mmCIF file with all atom_site columns, all heavy atoms in Angstrom:
data_model
loop_
_atom_site.group_PDB
_atom_site.id
_atom_site.type_symbol
_atom_site.label_atom_id
_atom_site.label_alt_id
_atom_site.label_comp_id
_atom_site.label_asym_id
_atom_site.label_entity_id
_atom_site.label_seq_id
_atom_site.pdbx_PDB_ins_code
_atom_site.Cartn_x
_atom_site.Cartn_y
_atom_site.Cartn_z
_atom_site.occupancy
_atom_site.B_iso_or_equiv
_atom_site.pdbx_formal_charge
_atom_site.auth_seq_id
_atom_site.auth_comp_id
_atom_site.auth_asym_id
_atom_site.auth_atom_id
_atom_site.pdbx_PDB_model_num
ATOM 1   N N   . ARG A 1 328 ? 92.890  61.839 49.643  1.00 43.00 ? 330 ARG A N   1
ATOM 2   C CA  . ARG A 1 328 ? 93.713  63.033 49.819  1.00 43.00 ? 330 ARG A CA  1
ATOM 3   C C   . ARG A 1 328 ? 93.508  63.673 51.188  1.00 43.00 ? 330 ARG A C   1
ATOM 4   O O   . ARG A 1 328 ? 94.441  64.120 51.807  1.00 43.00 ? 330 ARG A O   1
ATOM 5   C CB  . ARG A 1 328 ? 93.380  64.057 48.734  1.00 43.00 ? 330 ARG A CB  1
ATOM 6   C CG  . ARG A 1 328 ? 93.755  63.606 47.342  1.00 43.00 ? 330 ARG A CG  1
ATOM 7   C CD  . ARG A 1 328 ? 93.409  64.687 46.341  1.00 43.00 ? 330 ARG A CD  1
ATOM 8   N NE  . ARG A 1 328 ? 93.696  64.260 44.978  1.00 43.00 ? 330 ARG A NE  1
ATOM 9   C CZ  . ARG A 1 328 ? 93.405  64.997 43.918  1.00 43.00 ? 330 ARG A CZ  1
ATOM 10  N NH1 . ARG A 1 328 ? 92.822  66.183 44.068  1.00 43.00 ? 330 ARG A NH1 1
ATOM 11  N NH2 . ARG A 1 328 ? 93.691  64.555 42.712  1.00 43.00 ? 330 ARG A NH2 1
ATOM 12  N N   . GLN A 1 329 ? 92.288  63.748 51.653  1.00 45.00 ? 331 GLN A N   1
ATOM 13  C CA  . GLN A 1 329 ? 91.983  64.467 52.889  1.00 45.00 ? 331 GLN A CA  1
ATOM 14  C C   . GLN A 1 329 ? 91.108  63.619 53.785  1.00 45.00 ? 331 GLN A C   1
ATOM 15  O O   . GLN A 1 329 ? 89.950  63.423 53.509  1.00 45.00 ? 331 GLN A O   1
ATOM 16  C CB  . GLN A 1 329 ? 91.278  65.796 52.563  1.00 45.00 ? 331 GLN A CB  1
ATOM 17  C CG  . GLN A 1 329 ? 90.941  66.634 53.797  1.00 45.00 ? 331 GLN A CG  1
ATOM 18  C CD  . GLN A 1 329 ? 92.193  67.089 54.496  1.00 45.00 ? 331 GLN A CD  1
ATOM 19  O OE1 . GLN A 1 329 ? 93.187  67.359 53.869  1.00 45.00 ? 331 GLN A OE1 1
ATOM 20  N NE2 . GLN A 1 329 ? 92.138  67.146 55.822  1.00 45.00 ? 331 GLN A NE2 1
ATOM 21  N N   . PRO A 1 330 ? 91.626  63.083 54.925  1.00 43.00 ? 332 PRO A N   1
ATOM 22  C CA  . PRO A 1 330 ? 90.786  62.314 55.850  1.00 43.00 ? 332 PRO A CA  1
ATOM 23  C C   . PRO A 1 330 ? 89.857  63.228 56.624  1.00 43.00 ? 332 PRO A C   1
ATOM 24  O O   . PRO A 1 330 ? 90.181  64.369 56.922  1.00 43.00 ? 332 PRO A O   1
ATOM 25  C CB  . PRO A 1 330 ? 91.808  61.657 56.783  1.00 43.00 ? 332 PRO A CB  1
ATOM 26  C CG  . PRO A 1 330 ? 92.984  62.579 56.752  1.00 43.00 ? 332 PRO A CG  1
ATOM 27  C CD  . PRO A 1 330 ? 92.998  63.185 55.386  1.00 43.00 ? 332 PRO A CD  1
ATOM 28  N N   . ILE A 1 331 ? 88.685  62.721 56.913  1.00 41.00 ? 333 ILE A N   1
ATOM 29  C CA  . ILE A 1 331 ? 87.691  63.480 57.667  1.00 41.00 ? 333 ILE A CA  1
ATOM 30  C C   . ILE A 1 331 ? 87.369  62.731 58.943  1.00 41.00 ? 333 ILE A C   1
ATOM 31  O O   . ILE A 1 331 ? 87.131  61.536 58.921  1.00 41.00 ? 333 ILE A O   1
ATOM 32  C CB  . ILE A 1 331 ? 86.399  63.684 56.849  1.00 41.00 ? 333 ILE A CB  1
ATOM 33  C CG1 . ILE A 1 331 ? 86.723  64.530 55.604  1.00 41.00 ? 333 ILE A CG1 1
ATOM 34  C CG2 . ILE A 1 331 ? 85.311  64.337 57.683  1.00 41.00 ? 333 ILE A CG2 1
ATOM 35  C CD1 . ILE A 1 331 ? 85.551  64.729 54.699  1.00 41.00 ? 333 ILE A CD1 1
ATOM 36  N N   . GLY A 1 332 ? 87.365  63.454 60.077  1.00 43.00 ? 334 GLY A N   1
ATOM 37  C CA  . GLY A 1 332 ? 86.927  62.847 61.329  1.00 43.00 ? 334 GLY A CA  1
ATOM 38  C C   . GLY A 1 332 ? 87.940  61.914 61.928  1.00 43.00 ? 334 GLY A C   1
ATOM 39  O O   . GLY A 1 332 ? 87.572  60.954 62.568  1.00 43.00 ? 334 GLY A O   1
ATOM 40  N N   . ARG A 1 333 ? 89.258  62.165 61.707  1.00 43.00 ? 335 ARG A N   1
ATOM 41  C CA  . ARG A 1 333 ? 90.260  61.273 62.298  1.00 43.00 ? 335 ARG A CA  1
ATOM 42  C C   . ARG A 1 333 ? 90.229  61.427 63.811  1.00 43.00 ? 335 ARG A C   1
ATOM 43  O O   . ARG A 1 333 ? 90.363  62.521 64.333  1.00 43.00 ? 335 ARG A O   1
ATOM 44  C CB  . ARG A 1 333 ? 91.641  61.632 61.767  1.00 43.00 ? 335 ARG A CB  1
ATOM 45  C CG  . ARG A 1 333 ? 92.735  60.700 62.309  1.00 43.00 ? 335 ARG A CG  1
ATOM 46  C CD  . ARG A 1 333 ? 94.083  61.115 61.775  1.00 43.00 ? 335 ARG A CD  1
ATOM 47  N NE  . ARG A 1 333 ? 94.124  60.966 60.325  1.00 43.00 ? 335 ARG A NE  1
ATOM 48  C CZ  . ARG A 1 333 ? 94.435  59.839 59.717  1.00 43.00 ? 335 ARG A CZ  1
ATOM 49  N NH1 . ARG A 1 333 ? 94.705  58.759 60.411  1.00 43.00 ? 335 ARG A NH1 1
ATOM 50  N NH2 . ARG A 1 333 ? 94.466  59.785 58.392  1.00 43.00 ? 335 ARG A NH2 1
ATOM 51  N N   . PRO A 1 334 ? 90.066  60.357 64.564  1.00 44.00 ? 336 PRO A N   1
ATOM 52  C CA  . PRO A 1 334 ? 89.964  60.470 66.017  1.00 44.00 ? 336 PRO A CA  1
ATOM 53  C C   . PRO A 1 334 ? 91.325  60.704 66.645  1.00 44.00 ? 336 PRO A C   1
ATOM 54  O O   . PRO A 1 334 ? 92.340  60.324 66.104  1.00 44.00 ? 336 PRO A O   1
ATOM 55  C CB  . PRO A 1 334 ? 89.419  59.090 66.446  1.00 44.00 ? 336 PRO A CB  1
ATOM 56  C CG  . PRO A 1 334 ? 89.969  58.173 65.399  1.00 44.00 ? 336 PRO A CG  1
ATOM 57  C CD  . PRO A 1 334 ? 89.995  58.967 64.125  1.00 44.00 ? 336 PRO A CD  1
ATOM 58  N N   . SER A 1 335 ? 91.343  61.374 67.802  1.00 45.00 ? 337 SER A N   1
ATOM 59  C CA  . SER A 1 335 ? 92.596  61.561 68.533  1.00 45.00 ? 337 SER A CA  1
ATOM 60  C C   . SER A 1 335 ? 92.917  60.305 69.304  1.00 45.00 ? 337 SER A C   1
ATOM 61  O O   . SER A 1 335 ? 92.035  59.640 69.819  1.00 45.00 ? 337 SER A O   1
ATOM 62  C CB  . SER A 1 335 ? 92.484  62.745 69.497  1.00 45.00 ? 337 SER A CB  1
ATOM 63  O OG  . SER A 1 335 ? 91.459  62.511 70.434  1.00 45.00 ? 337 SER A OG  1
ATOM 64  N N   . SER A 1 336 ? 94.230  59.980 69.411  1.00 44.00 ? 338 SER A N   1
ATOM 65  C CA  . SER A 1 336 ? 94.638  58.767 70.131  1.00 44.00 ? 338 SER A CA  1
ATOM 66  C C   . SER A 1 336 ? 94.653  59.025 71.611  1.00 44.00 ? 338 SER A C   1
ATOM 67  O O   . SER A 1 336 ? 95.102  60.072 72.058  1.00 44.00 ? 338 SER A O   1
ATOM 68  C CB  . SER A 1 336 ? 96.035  58.333 69.669  1.00 44.00 ? 338 SER A CB  1
ATOM 69  O OG  . SER A 1 336 ? 96.950  59.359 69.927  1.00 44.00 ? 338 SER A OG  1
ATOM 70  N N   . ASN A 1 337 ? 94.128  58.099 72.395  1.00 46.00 ? 339 ASN A N   1
ATOM 71  C CA  . ASN A 1 337 ? 94.099  58.223 73.845  1.00 46.00 ? 339 ASN A CA  1
ATOM 72  C C   . ASN A 1 337 ? 95.122  57.285 74.445  1.00 46.00 ? 339 ASN A C   1
ATOM 73  O O   . ASN A 1 337 ? 95.112  56.104 74.178  1.00 46.00 ? 339 ASN A O   1
ATOM 74  C CB  . ASN A 1 337 ? 92.705  57.881 74.394  1.00 46.00 ? 339 ASN A CB  1
ATOM 75  C CG  . ASN A 1 337 ? 91.672  58.873 73.918  1.00 46.00 ? 339 ASN A CG  1
ATOM 76  O OD1 . ASN A 1 337 ? 91.967  60.059 73.811  1.00 46.00 ? 339 ASN A OD1 1
ATOM 77  N ND2 . ASN A 1 337 ? 90.471  58.396 73.632  1.00 46.00 ? 339 ASN A ND2 1
ATOM 78  N N   . ARG A 1 338 ? 95.982  57.844 75.260  1.00 43.00 ? 340 ARG A N   1
ATOM 79  C CA  . ARG A 1 338 ? 97.013  57.025 75.901  1.00 43.00 ? 340 ARG A CA  1
ATOM 80  C C   . ARG A 1 338 ? 96.786  57.028 77.394  1.00 43.00 ? 340 ARG A C   1
ATOM 81  O O   . ARG A 1 338 ? 96.446  58.057 77.968  1.00 43.00 ? 340 ARG A O   1
ATOM 82  C CB  . ARG A 1 338 ? 98.411  57.566 75.624  1.00 43.00 ? 340 ARG A CB  1
ATOM 83  C CG  . ARG A 1 338 ? 98.755  57.518 74.129  1.00 43.00 ? 340 ARG A CG  1
ATOM 84  C CD  . ARG A 1 338 ? 100.145 58.046 73.908  1.00 43.00 ? 340 ARG A CD  1
ATOM 85  N NE  . ARG A 1 338 ? 100.506 57.988 72.498  1.00 43.00 ? 340 ARG A NE  1
ATOM 86  C CZ  . ARG A 1 338 ? 101.645 58.434 72.013  1.00 43.00 ? 340 ARG A CZ  1
ATOM 87  N NH1 . ARG A 1 338 ? 102.529 58.943 72.833  1.00 43.00 ? 340 ARG A NH1 1
ATOM 88  N NH2 . ARG A 1 338 ? 101.900 58.360 70.732  1.00 43.00 ? 340 ARG A NH2 1
ATOM 89  N N   . PRO A 1 339 ? 96.967  55.899 78.055  1.00 44.00 ? 341 PRO A N   1
ATOM 90  C CA  . PRO A 1 339 ? 96.792  55.862 79.512  1.00 44.00 ? 341 PRO A CA  1
ATOM 91  C C   . PRO A 1 339 ? 97.841  56.697 80.200  1.00 44.00 ? 341 PRO A C   1
ATOM 92  O O   . PRO A 1 339 ? 98.973  56.772 79.751  1.00 44.00 ? 341 PRO A O   1
ATOM 93  C CB  . PRO A 1 339 ? 96.957  54.375 79.861  1.00 44.00 ? 341 PRO A CB  1
ATOM 94  C CG  . PRO A 1 339 ? 97.739  53.820 78.726  1.00 44.00 ? 341 PRO A CG  1
ATOM 95  C CD  . PRO A 1 339 ? 97.352  54.609 77.533  1.00 44.00 ? 341 PRO A CD  1
ATOM 96  N N   . ALA A 1 340 ? 97.457  57.389 81.268  1.00 44.00 ? 342 ALA A N   1
ATOM 97  C CA  . ALA A 1 340 ? 98.418  58.179 82.015  1.00 44.00 ? 342 ALA A CA  1
ATOM 98  C C   . ALA A 1 340 ? 99.456  57.282 82.688  1.00 44.00 ? 342 ALA A C   1
ATOM 99  O O   . ALA A 1 340 ? 99.166  56.181 83.048  1.00 44.00 ? 342 ALA A O   1
ATOM 100 C CB  . ALA A 1 340 ? 97.721  59.003 83.071  1.00 44.00 ? 342 ALA A CB  1
ATOM 101 N N   . SER A 1 341 ? 100.647 57.841 82.771  1.00 42.00 ? 343 SER A N   1
ATOM 102 C CA  . SER A 1 341 ? 101.731 57.002 83.298  1.00 42.00 ? 343 SER A CA  1
ATOM 103 C C   . SER A 1 341 ? 101.636 56.804 84.828  1.00 42.00 ? 343 SER A C   1
ATOM 104 O O   . SER A 1 341 ? 101.119 57.684 85.456  1.00 42.00 ? 343 SER A O   1
ATOM 105 C CB  . SER A 1 341 ? 103.087 57.672 83.004  1.00 42.00 ? 343 SER A CB  1
ATOM 106 O OG  . SER A 1 341 ? 103.184 58.959 83.360  1.00 42.00 ? 343 SER A OG  1
ATOM 107 N N   . ARG A 1 342 ? 106.413 55.654 93.643  1.00 44.00 ? 344 ARG A N   1
ATOM 108 C CA  . ARG A 1 342 ? 106.605 55.547 95.435  1.00 44.00 ? 344 ARG A CA  1
ATOM 109 C C   . ARG A 1 342 ? 107.067 54.342 95.631  1.00 44.00 ? 344 ARG A C   1
ATOM 110 O O   . ARG A 1 342 ? 108.190 53.435 96.002  1.00 44.00 ? 344 ARG A O   1
ATOM 111 C CB  . ARG A 1 342 ? 105.936 55.027 97.013  1.00 44.00 ? 344 ARG A CB  1
ATOM 112 C CG  . ARG A 1 342 ? 105.631 54.965 98.522  1.00 44.00 ? 344 ARG A CG  1
ATOM 113 C CD  . ARG A 1 342 ? 106.304 54.657 100.076 1.00 44.00 ? 344 ARG A CD  1
ATOM 114 N NE  . ARG A 1 342 ? 106.552 54.786 100.560 1.00 44.00 ? 344 ARG A NE  1
ATOM 115 C CZ  . ARG A 1 342 ? 106.863 54.920 101.595 1.00 44.00 ? 344 ARG A CZ  1
ATOM 116 N NH1 . ARG A 1 342 ? 106.827 53.252 101.145 1.00 44.00 ? 344 ARG A NH1 1
ATOM 117 N NH2 . ARG A 1 342 ? 108.224 54.279 101.987 1.00 44.00 ? 344 ARG A NH2 1
ATOM 118 N N   . GLY A 1 343 ? 108.793 56.371 96.848  1.00 41.00 ? 345 GLY A N   1
ATOM 119 C CA  . GLY A 1 343 ? 108.211 56.395 96.454  1.00 41.00 ? 345 GLY A CA  1
ATOM 120 C C   . GLY A 1 343 ? 109.519 55.718 98.089  1.00 41.00 ? 345 GLY A C   1
ATOM 121 O O   . GLY A 1 343 ? 108.584 56.131 97.366  1.00 41.00 ? 345 GLY A O   1
#
Side-chain angles (χ1 to χ4, degrees):
R330 294 181 183 176
Q331 181 65 34
I333 297 177
R335 182 181 296 274
S337 61
S338 60
N339 295 323
R340 297 181 179 177
S343 50
R344 209 293 92 130

